[in-house]
Amino acid sequence: MQQLMFDIDGPRFVDAQGRHAILRGVNLGGDTKLPFGHDGRNPPRDFADHRDVSFVGRPFPLDQADEHLSRIKSWGFNVLRLLTTWEAVEHAGQGQYDEAYLDYLTAVCTKANDYGLAVFIDFHQDVWSRMSGGDGAPGWVFEAVGLNLAAFDAADAVHVMQQRYDYASSEHRQEDRYPMMSWPRNYQMPVNGVMWTAFFAGATLTPDWIVDGRNVQDFLQETYLGAMRAVAERLSDLPNVLGFDSLNEPALGWVGQKVSERRDGPDASNATPIWSGPLWTPLDCLKAARGLPVRLPVMKRTGIGKPEVIGETDLNPNGVSIWLNDGPDPFEVAGAWSLVDGVATVGDEDFFRIRDGRAIDHEHDFMAPFFARVAASIRSVRADWLLFGEMCPYLMIQGKTFPQPMPERTVNASHWYDVEILGTKRYDPDTPGNDRSQRYAFQLGFIRAMGLAMREGGAPTLIGEFGIPYDMNDGEAFERWAEGDHGADVWRAHSQALGAMYDTMDQLLLSSTQWNYSATNANDLRIGDGWNQEDLSIYSPDQTTSENDPASGSRALEGFSRPYVQRGQGVIASMAFDARSLRLTAVIEVDEAVAGVTEIFVPNWRYPDGVAVALSGVPADWIHDTVSQIVRVKASGAGSLKIELTAG
């Protein structure tokens, strides 16, 4: 078994030669959340085919792999956060792994190895499943725990684009039916509340909820990890596969909430934001799930402040139950509430908050054993794999960090977005950016500190997701492109926003995987990355120009394809890039015991006339390989080496 392409040493990534490495990559890709053949144009609505779908061809057909991977490599990336889903692996039924898909995924990873691209596997989810408004778990899981997925929409228990959006309409933005960026509201709704609470807290809160001879929590986690092991066993011999993400953006369910208290925003007991739309309590969810009509206040967010109540709405007016055979409801059985003569009564207001006289701590009580379980599962296949750990992203708002102890060889793979840009899809490139830069430094600095505090000696941080929407400012860039304006100025807002993010990550020496690269993206406000009107792909076939154009297919190339130190002959002490002067400065603390030279990615398209490199400190020489787009600097002594790279 070959040594991993990259490993960790305290708070740093290192390569096989012991060089400090910066991993800079991309998520591949957003459309991988959907079965092959499904997209944003008019996807199937009733999910009746959920056992018969195929994800072979996601993120792209194999005969396109060279095209996409060579492009990703040429833009300067050296790592992929490669998406898969539980559904992709096990959609047909429990234990029925899709062997054709596993063959395909192995072939994609093997191709990535041919291009020198490291990979870590992300078992992705958003709001639990496609059937509950996102992606992740297969449909049969709902049936296994006693839920009728065919009733979800009729009971108003989910908010799903396939069922709420009018695809026959010419209107691409339908704010009255499916508002922009509205999919996260599912976290507050009945199906997500049931599933996430069961996944993490079933053994604690509903000990008598038995599925397939086990408590529901054990059933869900063991089955999920079984799918992960099926992938792991196929990839164990590949040196570029570094390990696995624990689970994308795990949610809290109802843990920490009072049963009937209506929150108006994140608080000390529950960090989940309040989104525009109906405002649910756990009791409202349990009632609607049981088949009772509910009347809820409707919230609307104006600006970046708290949402305000703008009215009321009646949901599940026809009294549709989402429990198979009308129950029983395991939470009612466990005493959270009761339904007597049609009247719902709270049984224990603190059911989701306090157990045996002690406040439930989601991270310590549920996430810590889950992290340990994931680590043990993947390392039963390959002992040196890294665990890329994620906690609920909203907990960081409260200043919370990873539970202790974390498994050895864990990477802090937390996510970070400029929430204002992401939520409003607006950015003005002419607005001074000092406040934004300071905010980025503070927020990303906190995330980096989470990694440093993860264990003695620190752990590396890799920002697992960050990025910008390309349909921002009402799709202005798409309109200009369609009119024939294909210059870099079309993407000025996007490039500036991305550049500020990379500036901060350079300052903090953070590794990262940008969200995302979708091979099927379209310049269409309805389609985008093919999923829930999101459009954050740095690539689109609609941006294809000519074969010899290095920018062909790219969006905002100036924002993300930039020089940086990929590997240092020792420790990378500092790094900064000034896009206006094309000046990269870096300091390497050279260690003579480290084999190999410092390698700097230098994109040819930025430096068409070559580069000039000034070296000071320890004696060193440099060469520029324009084929690989790498400047190599070899120092001949230990100490500080300052590198200043400019246009030739």
Side-chain angles (χ1 to χ4, degrees):
M1 186 177 294
Q2 297 182 60
Q3 184 178 355
L4 293 178
M5 185 180 289
F6 294 102
D7 207 329
I8 62 176
D9 180 12
R12 292 179 290 276
F13 289 100
V14 293
D15 70 1
Q17 296 176 296
R19 292 177 291 182
H20 181 186
I22 300 294
L23 304 190
R24 181 163 292 182
V26 68
N27 282 260
L28 186 65
D31 52 3
T32 304
K33 301 174 181 184
L34 302 171
F36 193 73
H38 292 216
D39 59 26
R41 291 169 176 83
N42 195 2
R45 300 190 181 201
D46 62 3
F47 304 110
D49 66 343
H50 67 87
R51 289 180 182 266
D52 302 318
V53 295
S54 172
F55 287 75
V56 174
R58 299 292 197 195
F60 38 64
L62 278 180
D63 61 5
Q64 298 177 15
D66 290 307
E67 172 200 342
H68 292 293
L69 295 175
S70 63
R71 180 183 293 116
I72 288 168
K73 182 71 171 181
S74 73
W75 288 344
F77 296 122
N78 60 6
V79 64
L80 302 172
R81 183 178 185 242
L82 182 60
L83 271 68
T84 185
T85 60
W86 183 0
E87 183 186 15
V89 178
E90 201 178 6
H91 52 81
Q94 184 179 355
Q96 299 178 46
Y97 303 130
D98 188 332
E99 298 297 329
Y101 174 74
L102 295 174
D103 290 342
Y104 163 78
L105 191 65
T106 304
V108 171
C109 292
T110 302
K111 271 287 186 182
N113 188 49
D114 294 341
Y115 283 91
L117 291 166
V119 169
F120 64 100
I121 303 298
D122 164 38
F123 263 73
H124 206 84
Q125 75 78 34
D126 298 283
V127 290
W128 185 260
S129 171
R130 279 194 304 133
M131 299 78 182
S132 53
D135 60 279
W140 60 263
V141 170
F142 292 115
E143 300 164 0
V145 302
L147 292 176
N148 177 12
L149 66 87
F152 290 172
D153 182 59
D156 294 314
V158 293
H159 179 73
V160 179
M161 183 176 181
Q162 290 95 316
Q163 295 161 337
R164 298 301 171 99
Y165 190 87
D166 181 5
Y167 289 91
S169 169
S170 61
E171 293 295 322
H172 286 189
R173 294 287 191 227
Q174 299 178 16
E175 295 300 301
D176 58 332
R177 300 177 61 87
Y178 191 81
M180 179 179 66
M181 291 299 292
S182 65
W183 59 266
R185 72 163 64 172
N186 280 290
Y187 281 120
Q188 301 175 77
M189 297 179 74
V191 171
N192 265 262
V194 169
M195 296 309 302
W196 284 111
T197 306
F199 186 83
F200 281 121
T204 298
L205 300 177
T206 54
D208 295 328
W209 188 356
I210 304 300
V211 180
D212 195 26
R214 295 162 282 177
N215 178 265
V216 65
Q217 176 182 327
D218 292 327
F219 168 79
L220 290 171
Q221 291 193 15
E222 289 171 8
T223 309
Y224 167 72
L225 292 175
M228 186 178 287
R229 278 193 301 274
V231 172
E233 288 166 359
R234 292 299 191 93
L235 305 180
S236 61
D237 291 332
L238 290 172
N240 66 319
V241 177
L242 307 181
F244 285 71
D245 204 316
S246 51
L247 176 61
N248 182 73
E249 297 184 356
L252 303 174
W254 294 317
V255 173
Q257 296 187 49
K258 290 188 175 182
V259 169
S260 66
E261 183 177 81
R262 207 172 297 284
R263 301 181 306 132
D264 62 358
D267 53 42
S269 62
N270 190 286
T272 306
I274 301 298
W275 300 94
S276 295
L279 180 59
W280 296 82
T281 67
L283 182 60
D284 294 327
C285 291
L286 291 165
K287 288 164 61 178
R290 187 77 153 73
L292 299 179
V294 292
R295 171 167 288 186
L296 305 181
V298 177
M299 311 298 288
K300 183 175 179 60
R301 184 179 296 277
T302 56
I304 60 175
K306 282 187 174 183
E308 299 176 351
V309 177
I310 60 168
E312 292 185 327
T313 186
D314 292 313
L315 297 176
N316 199 8
N318 296 320
V320 176
S321 173
I322 66 171
W323 294 105
L324 286 169
N325 304 316
D326 200 27
D329 169 2
F331 299 98
E332 183 179 359
V333 172
W337 74 298
S338 60
L339 181 63
V340 179
D341 297 329
V343 177
T345 304
V346 174
D348 180 358
E349 186 68 55
D350 292 322
F351 181 85
F352 300 108
R353 299 177 65 243
I354 298 174
R355 190 63 30 172
D356 298 327
R358 183 181 68 84
I360 295 173
D361 182 330
H362 186 273
E363 297 309 290
H364 180 272
D365 294 342
F366 305 136
M367 289 304 300
F370 176 69
F371 285 133
R373 206 170 194 178
V374 176
S377 183
I378 63 173
R379 289 171 186 163
S380 69
V381 178
R382 179 161 179 160
D384 60 350
W385 263 333
L386 304 177
L387 173 66
F388 291 79
E390 289 190 51
M391 51 190 268
C392 174
Y394 303 128
L395 290 171
M396 291 186 291
I397 299 172
Q398 298 179 338
K400 292 187 177 181
T401 186
F402 286 94
Q404 298 294 334
M406 286 293 289
E408 291 295 318
R409 301 174 58 74
T410 298
V411 173
N412 170 20
S414 299
H415 298 177
W416 170 82
Y417 285 94
D418 184 323
V419 177
E420 182 179 349
I421 294 176
L422 187 68
T424 65
K425 295 195 177 186
R426 307 204 70 81
Y427 180 83
D428 182 356
D430 296 317
T431 299
N434 288 340
D435 290 345
R436 190 181 303 274
S437 296
Q438 292 174 4
R439 176 161 50 89
Y440 289 0
F442 174 79
Q443 293 173 350
L444 286 167
F446 175 78
I447 294 175
R448 178 176 179 269
M450 291 169 57
L452 295 175
M454 188 176 283
R455 58 178 172 270
E456 186 175 352
T461 293
L462 181 148
I463 303 301
E465 285 186 21
F466 76 100
I468 57 168
Y470 284 88
D471 58 348
M472 63 185 180
N473 300 336
D474 301 316
E476 175 190 7
F478 302 163
E479 294 178 7
R480 291 177 61 184
W481 187 276
E483 292 168 357
D485 184 354
H486 295 178
D489 189 63
V490 169
W491 309 107
R492 185 167 75 96
H494 308 77
S495 294
Q496 183 174 304
L498 271 180
M501 295 173 184
Y502 275 114
D503 286 346
T504 304
M505 283 188 272
D506 282 351
Q507 174 189 340
L508 298 170
L509 298 175
L510 290 172
S511 292
S512 62
T513 46
Q514 187 183 163
W515 184 269
N516 75 95
Y517 184 110
S518 286
T520 61
N521 179 276
N523 290 352
D524 187 316
L525 299 182
R526 174 177 297 183
I527 299 168
D529 297 336
W531 184 86
N532 284 1
Q533 293 189 300
E534 283 199 1
D535 192 339
L536 290 89
S537 178
I538 64 173
Y539 167 82
S540 176
D542 288 345
Q543 266 59 67
T544 302
T545 52
S546 65
E547 184 178 350
N548 297 322
D549 179 7
S552 180
S554 72
R555 295 155 146 187
L557 188 67
E558 289 187 348
F560 64 82
S561 182
R562 42 190 274 157
Y564 71 102
V565 181
Q566 288 190 334
R567 308 169 195 240
Q569 188 183 346
V571 175
I572 304 168
S574 66
M575 176 170 61
F577 174 60
D578 184 332
R580 283 179 290 188
S581 66
L582 297 182
R583 184 182 306 273
L584 175 74
T585 57
V587 174
I588 310 297
E589 295 299 331
V590 177
D591 182 350
E592 287 184 294
V594 171
V597 300
T598 294
E599 296 186 358
I600 304 169
F601 171 73
V602 180
N604 290 339
W605 71 268
R606 277 193 189 266
Y607 299 89
D609 299 320
V611 299
V613 179
L615 306 173
S616 59
V618 300
D621 297 302
W622 65 278
I623 59 172
H624 183 196
D625 181 350
T626 57
V627 175
S628 65
Q629 303 185 98
I630 296 292
V631 166
R632 295 182 175 88
V633 182
K634 181 173 178 57
S636 55
S640 293
L641 171 64
K642 182 176 181 180
I643 302 171
E644 187 171 291
L645 183 149
T646 56

